[in-house]
Amino acid sequence: MKKPTLREVFTIPNLLSYFRLLLIPLFVWLYLRAQSTRDFALAAVVIGVSGFTDLFDGRLARRLNQITELGILLDPVADKLTEGAVIFCLATRYRWVVALVVVYLLKEGFMTVAGLVMLRRGKKLDGAKWFGKVCTFVFYLVVFTLILWVEIPLGLANALIALCTGMMLFTFVMYARVYFYMGHEKDY
């Protein structure tokens, strides 16, 4: 990757990614100190704003012709750090989130290593796949439910966590399959 110019560093989509990175410690602080429904709602608003900006940074990059190598790297880093922070915060309230943490770390670790291996071979993943997008949707649906519904019955919370963990595991397997075929130069 060549050194980005100042103009490439400060594109509108990249500024949105920087903003999302700044929202992470704010969310963690709000969530970990939350004691009332209002406090948890504030934490959810921060994650909502982060998700909203994530939704538009890629579209803006394409529409404004501001796609940069830095942005291609920065956007998923902001996504994964946000997801990781949310999962670890939820683990302070819900014991079964530990399973989600393990699957998340395995999936993201695999994706990082496999992506680097493919990059060294001159190949790269052509954007997020449908199952990755569905997984992200399920993740945020479960996260918002667990953050906003402060008095959620534990059985329902555990079922939602299991759903999210299962979806993440499915996505992990599907991406492993994609990378396997990429490594063997087959169509996937």
Side-chain angles (χ1 to χ4, degrees), residues 130-174:
W130 69 267
F131 42 84
K133 292 177 182 184
V134 170
C135 183
T136 300
F137 174 78
V138 169
F139 174 82
Y140 278 103
L141 184 66
V142 168
V143 162
F144 275 112
T145 302
L146 295 176
I147 294 172
L148 288 173
W149 192 357
V150 178
E151 301 297 325
I152 189 170
L154 189 56
L156 180 55
N158 289 339
L160 289 172
I161 293 164
L163 170 69
C164 191
T165 303
M167 187 65 213
M168 199 167 285
L169 194 55
F170 169 74
T171 303
F172 174 32
V173 168
M174 294 298 288

Side-chain angles (χ1 to χ4, degrees), residues 16-37:
L16 290 173
S17 292
Y18 302 139
F19 179 64
R20 286 190 359 247
L21 288 168
L22 291 173
L23 289 177
I24 295 168
L26 177 61
F27 166 77
V28 170
W29 181 76
L30 287 169
Y31 186 87
L32 293 179
R33 68 171 278 288
Q35 295 186 7
S36 68
T37 303

Side-chain angles (χ1 to χ4, degrees), residues 16-78:
L16 290 173
S17 292
Y18 302 139
F19 179 64
R20 286 190 359 247
L21 288 168
L22 291 173
L23 289 177
I24 295 168
L26 177 61
F27 166 77
V28 170
W29 181 76
L30 287 169
Y31 186 87
L32 293 179
R33 68 171 278 288
Q35 295 186 7
S36 68
T37 303
R38 183 183 170 278
D39 293 341
F40 284 107
L42 262 159
V45 166
V46 170
I47 288 300
V49 168
S50 178
F52 187 73
T53 58
D54 181 31
L55 186 66
F56 288 104
D57 66 355
R59 288 182 181 151
L60 283 172
R62 288 183 291 278
R63 179 170 285 164
L64 300 174
N65 196 27
Q66 293 183 345
I67 298 171
T68 64
E69 289 295 318
L70 177 63
I72 290 169
L73 177 69
L74 192 59
D75 179 56
V77 167

Side-chain angles (χ1 to χ4, degrees), residues 90-119:
L90 288 173
T92 65
R93 282 189 75 205
Y94 302 101
R95 185 173 59 173
W96 289 105
V97 171
V98 172
L100 182 59
V101 169
V102 169
V103 172
Y104 176 79
L105 290 173
L106 286 171
K107 175 184 161 279
E108 294 308 322
F110 169 80
M111 296 279 295
T112 301
V113 171
L116 289 172
V117 167
M118 288 301 131
L119 204 54

